[in-house]
Amino acid sequence: HQAQGVELQYKIPKDPDNDYWKTQWRCWQYADAVLRGDSHGVAQARALARAHDLEESQSAKYWCPSHQYIDLVIRELEVHRIDDAADDLMHWLSISPTDDIGDNETNCWQAIHTVTAFFATPGGGQHALAPQIRSRCLAIAAACPWMPLDLRAEVAQLAG
């Protein structure tokens, strides 16, 4: 864990325009705060993710919410923070389009994979937000004009 933090601190200044490393850094900060038992740090890392997302949605030429949230939600699941994962997943799904996916199939596909991972995590299917997460994911999937067969199987499984 610590080595990844050092690596990211090295890579970000070397490639300051690469948003991937910055997203990874925010996810690392979240996991680090969880490992240290720092509830303020956890809240701060999640707030930074949302602030970055808002900034990107208003200024980026090409904005895809999955770029921010897929790694964060997966990290939250890895450290067994199901409530954080459900909240951030629901936020991600709520800001994802369901009417005009356009060229943003990546967001649709990554949302489906992440929702499937959420439901595969102990407690995911029983979480209070599970019905809303399932419903919103299915709405996003219905708006996606094309998806690979493995995703179709995941959607069928979610639809139950």
Side-chain angles (χ1 to χ4, degrees), residues 1-133:
H1 171 75
Q2 293 301 332
Q4 183 187 26
V6 171
E7 177 185 20
L8 290 168
Q9 288 176 327
Y10 171 79
K11 287 182 176 182
I12 291 170
K14 298 285 184 196
D15 193 4
D17 295 329
N18 187 329
D19 200 46
Y20 175 77
W21 299 126
K22 294 173 189 173
T23 298
Q24 293 302 305
W25 175 244
R26 285 187 294 276
C27 292
W28 184 89
Q29 288 176 307
Y30 171 86
D32 187 61
V34 169
L35 291 172
R36 290 183 289 108
D38 178 4
S39 60
H40 175 72
V42 167
Q44 185 178 24
R46 292 179 69 220
L48 284 172
R50 295 219 182 161
H52 174 76
D53 171 58
L54 180 62
E55 178 185 320
E56 284 292 302
S57 71
Q58 295 172 350
S59 65
K61 181 178 178 181
Y62 176 76
W63 173 71
C64 181
S66 67
H67 293 164
Q68 175 63 48
Y69 290 101
I70 187 170
D71 293 320
L72 180 60
V73 172
I74 295 299
R75 185 69 57 100
E76 289 166 341
L77 293 173
E78 289 172 350
V79 295
H80 312 289
R81 299 281 297 221
I82 194 80
D83 289 337
D84 290 351
D87 184 55
D88 287 328
L89 184 53
M90 193 62 222
H91 175 73
W92 169 13
L93 298 174
S94 74
I95 61 173
S96 297
T98 57
D99 54 348
D100 182 19
I101 297 286
D103 293 333
N104 208 347
E105 290 173 335
T106 299
N107 184 67
C108 173
W109 299 352
Q110 291 181 332
I112 294 166
H113 280 310
T114 308
V115 168
T116 301
F118 174 80
F119 281 103
T121 300
Q126 295 76 35
H127 194 277
L129 291 176
Q132 294 156 281
I133 289 170

